[in-house]
Amino acid sequence: MEFWRSLTRRARAGSAMRTVLLLVVAFILVIVAAALSYRSSTDVQKAEAGVKTAFQIRREAQVVLILVTDAETGQRGYLLTGDAVYLTPYEQAIITLPDSLQRLRNLTSDSPEQKRRVGELNILLDQKLTELRATVVAKRTAGVDAALRIVHTGEGQALMDRIRNVVGGIIDVESQRLAQGQVVLVRATRQASYFTIGALILAIGVTTVATVMMIASVRGRERQRAAQVEQKTREETDRRIAAIVENSDDAIIGKDLNGIITSWNRGAERIFGYRAEEAIGQPITIIIPPERLDEEDAVLGRLRSGERTDHFETVRWTKHGRPVDISLTVSPIRNDGTVVGASTIARDVTERKRAELDLKRLNETLEERVAERTRQLAEINTELDAFGYTVSHDLRAPLRAMDGFAKALAEDYGEQLGTRGQDFARRIVAAAERMDLLIQDLLAYSRLSREDLRPQPVSLGDVAREALDGLAGDLRERGATIDIVDPLGRVLAHRPTLQHVVTNLLSNAIKFVAPDSAPRVRIWSESRGSTERLWVQDNGIGIDPRYHANVFRVFERLHGAEMYPGTGIGRAIVRRGTERMGGRVGVESKPGEGARFWIELPASRVKNGS
Amino acid sequence: MLVEDDSNDVALTQRAFARAQFANPLQVVTDGEQAIAYLAGESSYADRQRYPLPILILLDLKLPRKSGFDVLGWIRGVPKVRRLPVVVLTSSQQSPDINRAYDAGANSYLVKPVAFESLLALVQTLGLYWIMTNQGPGVVDPGASIV
C-alpha cells in the first residue's frame, strides 16, 4: 500500500516536470520557427529588392539606348532637311542622358562588372554626343557636305554599335539576375511559409500534449487530495475506535497465535490488575489458572482454523491471584485471509455469577419455603376454624343468656319494671338478635373463603325460586311483587353458595325501598357467550355511582341501621361467593331510580341435572 | 337428661321445659365426666331412684373434661345405654361438627337458637316428638326414669 502510494506520487511529480519541459520545447520551437520565417522573409525582401533593381537597371539601360537612338535619328533628319525641328530629340537626349546615366550608376553601385560597363557606356555616349554635335555644327557652318564627310567616316556608326553592345551586355546581365532573383524569391517564399506552418503545427501539438498532461496532473492532484482526505478520515475513525477500545469496561486483549499478548486496554488493566506495559509481550497464560490451561489450547486450536469462541464462561486470575468469573469471546484477526492473531473480549461476570448463584440457592430453598409457608397457612386456617368455632359456639351463648333473661325479666317482673324497664329489656333483646345475625353472616362469609366450591350445572330459575321461597315471609310482610322473566339460564356453580348469593341479592332488592312504597323486583338472565349474567332490578332508593365500588365490601353500610336493618355483610357475601365460583358482580344505579345488580358466572351447556 | 356446662343455658332450658309443662323431671349434669358417671351409675349416681336412666339425652358438644363427642362415643359403646336417643343441642353450625355427631351416633342435631321463643318452640317440638310421638327402644333398666 505504502509502496503504491509513493510510486504514484513519483509518477505524478515526473509528469509535471515533463509538462514544463514540453512547454519549454514548444516555446523554443515557436521562437526557432519565428526566426526562420523572419530570415526567410528577409531573403524574400532581399530577393525582391534585387529583382526590382534588375528591372530598373534594365529599363534605364533601354531608356539610355532609346535616347541615343532618338538623338541620332533627329541628327539624320536635320542633316537631310536642314529643318531645326528634327533637332528636338537630340537636344532632349543631351539634357536627359546625364540623369539616366547617373541613375544607372546608382543602381549598379554594388556590382563592379555592371559599374564598369556603365563607365564604358558613359565614355561611348560622350563620344557619340560629341560626334553628333560635330556634324550638326558642320552642317550649320560649312554646309551639308562637310557634315556628310564626317558621317561618311563611319565613326558615328561604330560608336553606335559599341553603345548597343554595352547596353545589351548590361541588359543581359540584369536579365540573368532577374531570372535568378525570381527563383530565389519563389523558393524563399515557399520556405518561409513551410517554416511558419510547421512551427505552428509543432507548437499546437506540443501545447496540446502539455495541456493534456497538465489536466491529467491537476486531476491527479485532485485525486491525491481526495485520497489524503480519505486517509485523514480513516485515521480519525481509527483513533475513535481506538478510544472506544481503550475506554471499554470489558477487557479487550490482542494476542498472536502463540498466545503472546499484543494489546491490553484499560478494561483489561482494571479487571486483571496488570498494566498494559506489564502485560504486552507476556504469554496470555499469566491470567489463566493452571487447571484451566487446556482451555487456552482449545481456544487457540479453534482460532487457527478461523473459528470464534463465543461467550465462553470461565475463570481467570488477576495479578494478585484473585479469581474472576468472566465471559470470553475470542475472534480471529486475519491478514489477507490468514489468521495472524486473536482479539479477546473478556467481560467480568462475577456480579452476575453471584446473582445467579443466589437465584439458584433461592430456587433450591423455594420448595422448602413453600412447604413452610403452606404449613403456616394451614396453621392459620386451623386457627381460623377454631376461631369460627369459638364465634359460632361461645359468642352466641352470652347472647342467648341476654335474650332469654331479658325476656324472663320482662315476663316475670314486668309490672315492677314499669314501662321504661320493659323498654330497656326490649332493647337488650333487640341488641342480642342483631348480634346473632351479625355472627351468622360473618360465619357464612368466612366459610365462603375457605370451603372448596365444586361447580356443577345449576339452573338459575331453580335457585331464584328457592331463594324466593326462603324469603316468602319477608315478601309477604313488605307486599313485594316479583317478576321472573323465564327462561333463566344455566350456570356452572356450587349450588349452596349460589343459593346463598341469590338469597342475599333478593333480600337486598326488597329491603332498600323508600318508606310507603312496595318493592317490585324483576329477575332475568342474559347470555354473554361463555358466561351467563343474572340481573336483579329493584325499585329501591338507588345507589350513587360514587359508592358503586364500595357496595360489595364487608360492613359497608350506606344507610343507617334504624332505617334499613342489616349486617352489611350480605353484598360482601354476594361478591365473595360469586368470585369464588369464578364469576363477577356489578351494579348499575342512580339515586332514586332503583338499582340493577348482576352476577355473572360461567355458562353451563348441560341441559339436565343440577 | 341435659348435659350442659353453661349455667345460663341450663337455666333457660329449664325455664323452657317449665313453660312447656312437661310432667317428666329434667336431670342436669354440667360436664362430660359427670354425664358418663351418671349414665354408668357410678359413685354418687349409684342411686337409680334419685338418678334414673333418662329416656332422652340433650347433649351439648363443647363440654369441660370430656366433650360431647366423647360422651356420645361412650354411650354408643356401652350395651346398657347404647340405644338411648341422643339429641345434640349445641351452638355450632359447623358442618364438620354436624357430620361427626351423626357419625358418632347422634339421633338428631339441633342448633340452640338465640331467641328464647325459638328455644321454647324447639323444646316443645322435642317433647312432642321424642316423648309423646316417638316409639322408644326397649327399656334396658326397668327402673329408668324419663329424661
Side-chain angles (χ1 to χ4, degrees), chain A residues 556-573:
Chain A
E556 194 70 51
R557 290 186 53 94
L558 304 176
H559 309 282
E562 298 288 319
M563 192 140 176
Y564 299 104
T567 57
I569 299 173
R571 281 192 292 242
I573 287 173

Side-chain angles (χ1 to χ4, degrees), chain A residues 371-391:
Chain A
E372 168 71 7
R373 207 54 202 268
T374 310
R375 200 182 53 70
Q376 284 174 354
L377 279 174
E379 221 165 76
I380 290 167
N381 250 344
T382 313
E383 273 170 28
L384 262 177
D385 279 346
F387 175 73
Y389 190 83
T390 304
V391 166

Side-chain angles (χ1 to χ4, degrees), chain A residues 499-515:
Chain A
Q499 195 69 58
H500 214 106
V501 165
V502 173
T503 303
N504 272 291
L505 215 50
L506 293 172
S507 139
N508 271 327
I510 59 169
K511 194 191 287 177
F512 297 101
V513 287

Side-chain angles (χ1 to χ4, degrees), chain B residues 1-4 9-11 13-14 17 26-30 56-60 89 147:
Chain B
M1 183 176 87
L2 175 65
V3 189
E4 173 63 72
D9 280 348
V10 170
T13 310
Q14 281 173 333
F17 265 82
L26 179 67
Q27 296 287 346
V28 175
V29 289
T30 55
L56 179 67
I57 297 167
L58 296 178
L59 179 66
D60 190 10
L89 185 60
V147 188

Side-chain angles (χ1 to χ4, degrees), chain A residues 385 388-389 392-394 396-397 399-401 403-405 407-408 411-412 433 436 440 447, chain B residues 6 8-9 11-12 15 19 60 62 90-94 97 111-117:
Chain A
D385 279 346
Y389 190 83
S392 68
H393 198 274
D394 291 358
R396 294 178 77 201
L399 287 179
R400 281 194 301 277
D403 183 86
F405 293 117
K407 280 170 182 162
E411 275 171 29
D412 296 359
E433 278 171 358
D436 184 41
Q440 284 188 45
R447 259 207 307 279
Chain B
D6 186 321
N8 287 330
D9 280 348
L12 288 170
R15 185 178 166 87
R19 292 281 291 272
D60 190 10
K62 206 182 170 220
T90 180
S91 304
S92 172
Q93 283 179 323
Q94 309 271 70
D97 277 356
V111 177
K112 288 179 198 166
V114 169
F116 181 72
E117 292 80 10

Side-chain angles (χ1 to χ4, degrees), chain A residues 405-419:
Chain A
F405 293 117
K407 280 170 182 162
L409 200 64
E411 275 171 29
D412 296 359
Y413 303 94
E415 281 171 30
Q416 279 140 287
L417 284 174
T419 326

Side-chain angles (χ1 to χ4, degrees), chain A residues 42-287:
Chain A
T42 317
D43 286 352
V44 169
Q45 273 175 11
K46 230 186 273 173
E48 269 176 353
V51 168
K52 199 179 162 192
T53 310
F55 266 120
Q56 282 175 343
I57 291 171
R58 237 167 52 165
R59 205 184 60 213
E60 284 303 329
Q62 281 164 348
V63 166
V64 167
L65 191 59
I66 288 165
L67 281 175
V68 171
T69 312
D70 285 352
E72 189 178 48
T73 309
Q75 173 236 4
R76 298 276 161 88
Y78 177 66
L79 287 183
L80 285 173
T81 64
D83 188 349
V85 174
Y86 288 101
L87 283 178
T88 310
Y90 161 75
E91 285 162 359
Q92 185 72 37
I94 289 170
I95 297 165
T96 320
L97 266 175
D99 285 351
S100 279
L101 271 173
Q102 188 54 45
R103 273 201 294 278
L104 264 180
R105 261 196 300 276
N106 287 346
L107 286 166
T108 57
S109 60
D110 52 350
S111 167
E113 189 200 353
Q114 292 290 74
K115 213 175 169 177
R116 183 186 52 78
R117 284 199 185 96
V118 170
E120 193 182 337
L121 184 60
N122 195 4
I123 294 161
L124 287 171
L125 284 174
D126 282 346
Q127 286 174 358
K128 180 66 183 172
L129 287 181
T130 306
E131 183 258 342
L132 287 179
R133 200 183 304 125
T135 58
V136 170
V137 170
K139 162 75 171 82
R140 214 177 285 153
T141 53
V144 81
D145 297 331
L148 286 176
R149 265 193 311 272
I150 299 170
V151 173
H152 286 306
T153 59
E155 197 185 335
Q157 190 60 47
L159 275 170
M160 201 61 198
D161 288 344
R162 284 178 67 190
I163 287 170
R164 273 194 190 93
N165 275 336
V166 171
V167 168
I170 289 171
I171 288 175
D172 284 352
V173 168
E174 287 309 320
S175 289
Q176 222 172 347
R177 261 177 62 186
L178 196 63
Q180 277 175 0
Q182 267 166 342
V183 169
V184 168
L185 184 63
V186 166
R187 201 176 52 222
T189 308
R190 200 177 297 151
Q191 225 172 38
S193 53
Y194 284 169
F195 276 133
T196 309
I197 290 167
L200 267 172
I201 288 170
L202 254 171
I204 287 169
V206 170
T207 312
T208 304
V209 169
T211 307
V212 165
M213 286 185 73
M214 216 144 88
I215 289 168
S217 160
V218 166
R219 283 219 184 118
R221 217 164 307 145
E222 269 166 14
R223 262 202 299 277
Q224 194 180 347
R225 202 169 306 137
Q228 276 172 356
V229 168
E230 195 190 328
Q231 165 97 0
K232 213 169 155 189
T233 313
R234 200 177 309 129
E235 280 167 6
E236 176 68 21
T237 309
D238 286 353
R239 252 202 309 283
R240 222 172 278 164
I241 289 170
I244 291 169
V245 167
E246 195 50 38
N247 294 316
S248 166
D249 258 0
D250 294 338
I252 300 177
I253 301 165
K255 64 182 175 197
D256 62 18
L257 284 179
N258 299 317
I260 301 299
I261 296 166
T262 53
S263 73
W264 188 264
N265 77 336
R266 220 170 288 164
E269 291 184 344
R270 194 177 52 75
I271 294 173
F272 298 111
Y274 292 98
R275 289 204 314 283
E277 56 267 33
E278 291 176 293
I280 291 170
Q282 296 289 315
I284 192 74
T285 50
I286 57 169
I287 59 164

